[in-house]
Amino acid sequence: MSLKSIVRELKVMRDGIGSISRRGAESKHWHSRMKSHIVPDVTVTPLENIQQGPWANLPPELLLDIIRRIEESETSWPARAVIVSCASVCKSWRAVTKEIVKTPEQCGRLTFPISLKQPGSRESPIQCFIRRNRETSTFLLYYGLVPSENETDKLLLAAKRIRRATGTDFVISLVADEFSRSSNTYLGKLRQVLDDRKSNFLGTKFTIYDSQPPCEAGIQRNSRSCRRFQSKQVSPRVPACNYVVSTIAYELNVLRSRGPRRMHCTMNSIPVSAIQEGGNAPTPTSLPQVIDEHFSPSPALKGKGPVTDLNSASLTELPVRNQGSVEPLVLKNKAPRWHEQLQCWCLNFKGRVTVASVKNFQLVAAVDPAHNVSAAEQEKVTLQFGKIGKDIFTMDYRYPLSAFQAFAICLSSFDTKPACE
């Protein structure tokens, strides 16, 4: 059987699973939600007829070869969605698929939901774009260079701005229509920092909260944000917590001098050693199952009752460790140059930004010479963000940032900061 035939059968199998999962819901609504997701990242409960089917009994060597060829041939979305079919056939297929599919740092591609929390590629930036909706105060992060004409872009993350008397929150979710912290799609948020219980009216300081503690990093938990929800989507025994993973500070422009905004990002979850020679950034290997069950095609995991098949140790026992002497990585905006002919500040975005805006920026590492970080590494643009049209912005990130961290940093640029301009 040819590879194309195998791929076709997997697509039919995926569509069959999806049709079963749609029982009790509107077909069009569920299809739109499935299109916007990245492939699953939990051990699913396969359907009986698929478990007993011929696909589950393939020899391991043949199965390994098939999935490897599919992974190598389907390198971009939406074609890469075939990987979800492989991971959804049965446990043996899923184990082999997870073994073959590499992290973004290794392959430069986003595949499973956990990819959004893993560092980007070291070689070249992962290119995305953000679409802003002013009416709904939502921001959608898509995978790709620019918006496509047929609107088949891959939705990675979504955020909603919520203004309060005490500040502004940007709630980050896996879907574009659910932003409740009690939802199993909640990933974290960006919040204006409160100083001594008073609102930061200048809007110059932000904190990034993650819903799960990053791997091998001592992160401070926001105890006031740790609550238990009685929800149909979340197990009542699972607490929803927020962990501080980064702080963002914009410098005040007291003298009102010309120039773009100046910012510093302290990445509490990434040690400065990550960008040293031989260093590695913390790389989580799985999301809490209470989140990932949302991506499962199996109806068995879609019940309205409490989630019972959960690893309670990984969810309820959330350790808070002291970072000690581990120094966090600090990012700063790259200084632009003044162009005399154009009479404006300029940065080389390599064609990815086409509209002048005070929101445009590039971030590079701000390290002390004692850290022995090479000059080439210090010059690498870790994150760049800029405008290309009305309510359309590009976002390119690379190692050691993840898509979640990069998206949260870019969201801080959308909040009005007159004192910094």
Side-chain angles (χ1 to χ4, degrees):
M1 183 182 293
S2 66
L3 179 61
K4 290 185 178 180
S5 301
I6 294 175
V7 171
R8 274 199 303 271
E9 291 202 24
L10 288 172
K11 288 181 178 179
V12 172
M13 186 182 302
R14 179 194 60 189
D15 295 339
I17 296 174
S19 64
I20 297 175
S21 301
R22 287 194 296 268
R23 292 176 182 175
E26 293 184 5
S27 173
K28 183 177 180 180
H29 175 71
W30 176 250
H31 181 64
S32 65
R33 291 172 68 92
M34 286 296 292
K35 282 204 307 180
S36 67
H37 298 158
I38 307 177
V39 300
D41 192 45
V42 297
T43 302
V44 299
T45 304
L47 302 177
E48 283 298 323
N49 60 339
I50 298 179
Q51 275 186 322
Q52 304 301 325
W55 291 105
N57 300 319
L58 286 179
E61 296 79 7
L62 178 59
L63 176 60
L64 186 68
D65 181 64
I66 290 175
I67 298 181
R68 180 180 289 115
R69 291 170 62 189
I70 293 176
E71 200 277 336
E72 292 175 352
S73 63
E74 309 296 349
T75 58
S76 60
W77 290 91
R80 197 166 175 79
V82 176
I83 303 296
V84 69
S85 303
C86 295
S88 303
V89 173
C90 61
K91 290 184 178 181
S92 60
W93 279 64
R94 180 166 193 80
V96 174
T97 303
K98 293 184 68 175
E99 177 184 346
I100 292 176
V101 176
K102 305 302 180 182
T103 65
E105 179 183 350
Q106 296 170 318
C107 68
R109 294 189 289 268
L110 301 175
T111 306
F112 296 112
I114 190 59
S115 302
L116 302 174
K117 292 288 187 76
Q118 294 175 335
S121 172
R122 290 179 182 261
E123 301 299 327
S124 58
I126 295 178
Q127 297 174 318
C128 312
F129 67 91
I130 298 174
R131 186 187 297 274
R132 173 176 60 181
N133 188 322
R134 296 176 184 266
E135 294 182 358
T136 60
S137 297
T138 55
F139 307 84
L140 306 182
L141 176 67
Y142 292 94
Y143 191 21
L145 295 175
V146 292
S148 61
E149 296 181 358
N150 53 5
E151 297 185 355
T152 58
D153 304 303
K154 189 64 177 179
L155 177 65
L156 300 180
L157 293 169
K160 183 177 181 63
R161 177 164 53 195
I162 302 174
R163 296 189 185 276
R164 298 187 175 91
T166 56
T168 302
D169 279 359
F170 290 84
V171 180
I172 302 175
S173 172
L174 288 168
V175 296
D177 56 357
E178 178 58 72
F179 297 97
S180 171
R181 280 191 53 217
S182 62
S183 169
N184 54 8
T185 61
Y186 172 78
L187 286 185
K189 65 182 177 182
L190 173 75
R191 166 173 284 185
Q192 280 184 331
V193 176
L194 302 181
D195 296 329
D196 297 327
R197 297 181 179 269
K198 294 181 180 180
S199 178
N200 176 21
F201 293 103
L202 297 178
T204 59
K205 298 179 181 179
F206 297 83
T207 301
I208 300 175
Y209 294 95
D210 197 333
S211 61
Q212 65 175 129
C215 176
E216 297 179 0
I219 301 300
Q220 178 185 358
R221 182 175 65 185
N222 182 6
S223 59
R224 290 190 303 170
S225 298
C226 186
R227 305 174 184 172
R228 295 178 183 270
F229 294 95
Q230 299 292 334
S231 170
K232 294 180 180 180
Q233 294 175 307
V234 181
S235 170
R237 299 174 60 186
V238 177
C241 297
N242 283 321
Y243 291 82
V244 178
V245 294
S246 180
T247 57
I248 306 169
Y250 287 83
E251 295 183 12
L252 295 176
N253 189 359
V254 180
L255 300 179
R256 309 295 293 174
S257 58
R258 294 188 302 176
R261 298 168 179 170
R262 293 183 292 273
M263 62 190 295
H264 284 80
C265 302
T266 303
M267 311 305 299
N268 303 91
S269 59
I270 305 176
V272 69
S273 60
I275 61 173
Q276 294 175 344
E277 186 175 357
N280 292 293
T283 304
T285 57
S286 63
L287 288 172
Q289 293 185 11
V290 68
I291 293 178
D292 277 356
E293 70 153 4
H294 181 79
F295 299 91
S296 170
S298 172
L301 295 181
K302 294 274 182 195
K304 294 183 179 181
V307 180
T308 58
D309 187 18
L310 293 175
N311 183 359
S312 59
S314 63
L315 293 173
T316 60
E317 298 176 7
L318 301 176
V320 182
R321 289 175 286 177
N322 188 5
Q323 276 189 307
S325 60
V326 177
E327 186 173 350
L329 174 66
V330 178
L331 303 176
K332 65 177 181 179
N333 66 298
K334 189 174 183 179
R337 62 179 181 86
W338 178 255
H339 198 291
E340 289 294 341
Q341 290 182 326
L342 298 178
Q343 289 293 296
C344 65
W345 295 96
C346 296
L347 279 171
N348 182 11
F349 289 97
K350 298 183 178 180
R352 289 285 288 153
V353 177
T354 57
V355 179
S357 173
V358 71
K359 295 180 176 63
N360 301 346
F361 67 81
Q362 291 180 331
L363 293 184
V364 295
V367 296
D368 190 270
H371 290 136
N372 296 322
V373 178
S374 65
E377 189 67 33
Q378 296 182 45
E379 287 297 319
K380 281 186 180 179
V381 176
T382 304
L383 170 64
Q384 75 172 21
F385 171 80
K387 191 173 184 178
I388 60 173
K390 184 178 180 180
D391 296 324
I392 302 294
F393 304 80
T394 58
M395 186 197 87
D396 302 342
Y397 75 97
R398 66 191 307 159
Y399 176 91
L401 289 183
S402 66
F404 170 78
Q405 293 166 336
F407 185 45
I409 293 174
C410 293
L411 289 174
S412 69
S413 185
F414 285 106
D415 209 42
T416 304
K417 289 167 280 292
C420 305
E421 302 169 4

